[in-house]
Amino acid sequence: MPDEATYWCDWLAAQGVRPVRPPCVTATGRRPRLLVARRAPRETLAAWAGAWQAGWDVFLADPAWGGTTREDFCQRVGADAVSADDHGWTTAAGRHLTFAEDPIVAIPTGGSSGSPKLAAHTAATLSESARAGVEHLLGGRHRTLSLLPAHHVSGLMPTWRAAASGGKAVWADWKTWREQPSVDQGFVLSLVPTQLAQLRERDPSGDSLRKAGAILLGGAAAPAELLAWARKTRLPLAPCYGMTETAAFVAACLPEEFLDGRDDLGTAVGNASLATDVEGRLHIESPALFLGYWPETRETGAWATADSARLSPDGRLTLLGRLDNLIICGGEKASPARIEAFLRGTGLVADVAVAGEPDPVWGARVAAGVVLAEGADPQRLAQLAEAGLPPWERPRRWIWLREIPRTAAGKTDRNAMLGDSR
C-alpha cells in the first residue's frame, strides 16, 4: 500500500474511524474488489480504509440505487465482497483485470442519467488534489465539516483535505444539520447552490455561516441573486470548479476575491493547468486527474472536458455551459445554461432547470422545469420567453414544479424532471 494510503488510514483511525478488514477471499490473477454501499460516511470510510490496508480495490456505490441500476453495477464490478446497509447488493464473478499498480477507488459519476461511470483514483491522485486544495484555499490545517455522502467526490474530498493537512473532520447529515445550521470558527464546508439557497431561507442574515473559514460552492451554476446575497451578508464563499474526474475542485475563487466582487471561478490549484481550444472546450492537466473510467484507462496528458469556458489573460476561469448539454433544435444549438439565466433574470422564478427532449419534427425541443416565485404569473413568464429568446431556445414544454428534482450531490435530475418524455 503506498505511503499516502497508509497515512490516510492511520489518520482516519486517529479520528475514531477504525478500518474494517474485508473477509479473506481468493481472487485469482487480480486484486480483490470490495463494493461499498453505505449511507453513513464513517462506515463508508471505515470499509474503504480496511480494504486498502488489505490491498483491495474499492468500488463506491450510491446506497439509494435500486432495480436495474443496482443489478448492472453489481455485475459490472464483479465484487468479491460487499459492505452495504442492506442485502440487495451481490457479489459476482469478476473479470481478470489488473487496472493499476496501486489499489484504486472507483467513484461513481453521472448516475442521474443512465448507467453511472466509475472514475478510478488512487491514493496519489486524491492526495495531490487534497494538498493542492488546502494550499490554494487557506493553508495550514484544515478543519472540515462534511455534509454530503462519502460515495460522492464532493462528500469524500473534504475528509481527504483534512487528512492531507493533519487537520480534523466532522461529518453531519445534511437534512438534519440544515434545520439548525451552525459552523464552528474557521471550519471549511462544501455546498451546492441548492443547499445554500435552502440555508438562506432558514437564515436570511447568514449569521449561521459567517464564522466559516471558507464555503466551497460548486456542482452547478449559482444564480446571480444567490451570490449577491452571499456577498451582501459577507459570507466567505469560494465558488469553485471541479468534478469526480479531477478529484473535486481544480479551480477556486478565494473568499476575499469573491467578497471584493469577483464573479469568476478563480485560478487553477496546485500543479493543475487549464486551457481552451478553438471551440471553447476546457482542457485540464493535473496530477490529480483520474486514471480512466473503470475498466478502461485513459490516455495520459490533458483531459478534454464537456464544458465550454473562457480564460482571462491571467488564467481566471469563467464557465459558459456544458457542450454535451446543448440541445440541437432544427440544426440550431440551444444552451440550457443561457436559457436558465434568462428565465432567472425575469424575477419570476425561484428555481429552474432546462433540458432537451425528443421532437419528431425538429429533433429536439426545450423543456423548462420551473418553480415559480411567490405570486408570479406563469403566462407572463411564457410571454417574456417568447419575446426574449430566439425560436430554438424558447421552451416548448413548461413543467411547473414545487421543487426541482436533484440527486444527493445537488445536481439536477433531468430524467426525473422530464418523466416519461424520454
Side-chain angles (χ1 to χ4, degrees), residues 123-133 160 270-272 286-288:
T125 61
L126 297 181
S127 295
E128 174 65 31
S129 172
R131 285 193 292 266
W160 204 281
N271 294 318
S286 169

Side-chain angles (χ1 to χ4, degrees), residues 228-315:
W229 167 79
R231 191 172 284 124
K232 180 180 179 181
T233 54
R234 307 302 293 174
L235 298 187
L237 222 59
C240 61
Y241 171 79
M243 60 202 75
T244 307
E245 292 84 350
T246 60
F249 72 94
V250 72
C253 183
L254 299 178
E256 56 267 29
E257 295 173 330
F258 170 77
L259 291 173
D260 283 343
R262 285 280 191 178
D263 285 323
D264 54 41
L265 297 173
T267 57
V269 306
N271 294 318
S273 61
L274 310 176
T276 54
D277 59 22
V278 292
E279 67 173 346
R281 185 184 298 271
L282 182 64
H283 295 249
I284 300 172
E285 282 196 78
S286 169
L289 278 173
F290 72 131
L291 280 64
Y293 295 117
W294 188 90
E296 304 295 331
T297 55
R298 70 174 189 88
E299 294 183 7
T300 57
W303 178 58
T305 73
D307 292 316
S308 174
R310 181 176 65 248
L311 290 168
S312 68
D314 57 350

Side-chain angles (χ1 to χ4, degrees), residues 14-141:
Q15 304 294 307
V17 181
R18 301 289 179 182
V20 177
R21 302 279 289 190
C24 293
V25 300
T26 301
T28 306
R30 60 173 174 80
R31 278 192 299 272
R33 300 171 192 154
L34 178 69
L35 188 159
V36 181
R38 295 285 189 180
R39 292 176 180 84
R42 296 175 69 94
E43 294 180 2
T44 298
L45 298 169
W48 175 1
W52 268 14
Q53 282 185 336
W56 289 43
D57 289 339
V58 175
F59 293 78
L60 303 181
D62 186 338
W65 287 340
T68 57
T69 300
R70 181 182 290 199
E71 293 172 8
D72 291 346
F73 188 84
C74 290
Q75 289 296 321
R76 285 167 58 200
V77 169
D80 299 285
V82 173
S83 175
D85 293 327
D86 60 59
H87 300 295
W89 299 87
T90 61
T91 57
R95 284 168 286 182
H96 289 223
L97 170 72
T98 300
F99 185 82
E101 182 179 347
D102 297 322
I104 65 166
V105 57
I107 308 172
T109 180
S112 65
S113 177
S115 183
K117 296 177 181 178
L118 293 169
H121 281 279
T122 64
T125 61
L126 297 181
S127 295
E128 174 65 31
S129 172
R131 285 193 292 266
V134 167
E135 292 169 4
H136 183 86
L137 200 55
L138 291 174
R141 294 187 175 185

Side-chain angles (χ1 to χ4, degrees), residues 3 14 30-31 60 100 116 126 151 170 197 207 213 255 259 277 306 318 341 345 354 368 393:
D3 289 344
R30 60 173 174 80
R31 278 192 299 272
L60 303 181
L126 297 181
H151 58 267
V170 175
D207 289 345
L259 291 173
D277 59 22
T318 298
V354 167
E393 289 194 331

Side-chain angles (χ1 to χ4, degrees), residues 114-361:
S115 183
K117 296 177 181 178
L118 293 169
H121 281 279
T122 64
T125 61
L126 297 181
S127 295
E128 174 65 31
S129 172
R131 285 193 292 266
V134 167
E135 292 169 4
H136 183 86
L137 200 55
L138 291 174
R141 294 187 175 185
H142 263 218
R143 294 176 296 161
T144 64
L145 172 62
S146 185
L147 297 167
L148 291 169
H151 58 267
H152 288 291
V153 72
S154 52
L156 161 67
M157 289 309 295
T159 296
W160 204 281
R161 287 191 287 271
S165 64
K168 175 184 179 181
V170 175
W171 300 275
D173 174 71
W174 161 249
K175 291 183 178 179
T176 302
W177 181 85
R178 71 180 178 184
E179 298 306 316
Q180 291 185 310
S182 64
V183 182
D184 289 340
Q185 186 71 43
F187 268 65
V188 179
L189 64 155
S190 298
L191 298 173
V192 297
T194 301
Q195 291 175 315
L196 185 61
Q198 292 176 6
L199 293 173
R200 177 182 60 174
E201 292 178 5
R202 287 165 171 78
D203 179 17
S205 69
D207 289 345
S208 60
L209 299 174
R210 199 172 297 111
K211 290 193 298 183
I215 303 171
L216 286 160
L217 187 71
E225 50 87 20
L226 183 63
L227 296 176
W229 167 79
R231 191 172 284 124
K232 180 180 179 181
T233 54
R234 307 302 293 174
L235 298 187
L237 222 59
C240 61
Y241 171 79
M243 60 202 75
T244 307
E245 292 84 350
T246 60
F249 72 94
V250 72
C253 183
L254 299 178
E256 56 267 29
E257 295 173 330
F258 170 77
L259 291 173
D260 283 343
R262 285 280 191 178
D263 285 323
D264 54 41
L265 297 173
T267 57
V269 306
N271 294 318
S273 61
L274 310 176
T276 54
D277 59 22
V278 292
E279 67 173 346
R281 185 184 298 271
L282 182 64
H283 295 249
I284 300 172
E285 282 196 78
S286 169
L289 278 173
F290 72 131
L291 280 64
Y293 295 117
W294 188 90
E296 304 295 331
T297 55
R298 70 174 189 88
E299 294 183 7
T300 57
W303 178 58
T305 73
D307 292 316
S308 174
R310 181 176 65 248
L311 290 168
S312 68
D314 57 350
R316 301 189 71 87
L317 174 67
T318 298
L319 206 61
L320 303 178
R322 287 188 62 84
L323 293 168
D324 61 354
N325 277 350
L326 290 177
I327 303 164
I328 310 302
C329 178
E332 298 285 356
K333 296 178 180 178
S335 166
R338 188 164 53 238
I339 301 167
E340 290 171 3
F342 174 86
L343 296 176
R344 290 183 191 279
T346 66
L348 299 177
V349 303
D351 202 0
V352 61
V354 167
E357 58 184 4
D359 184 274
V361 176

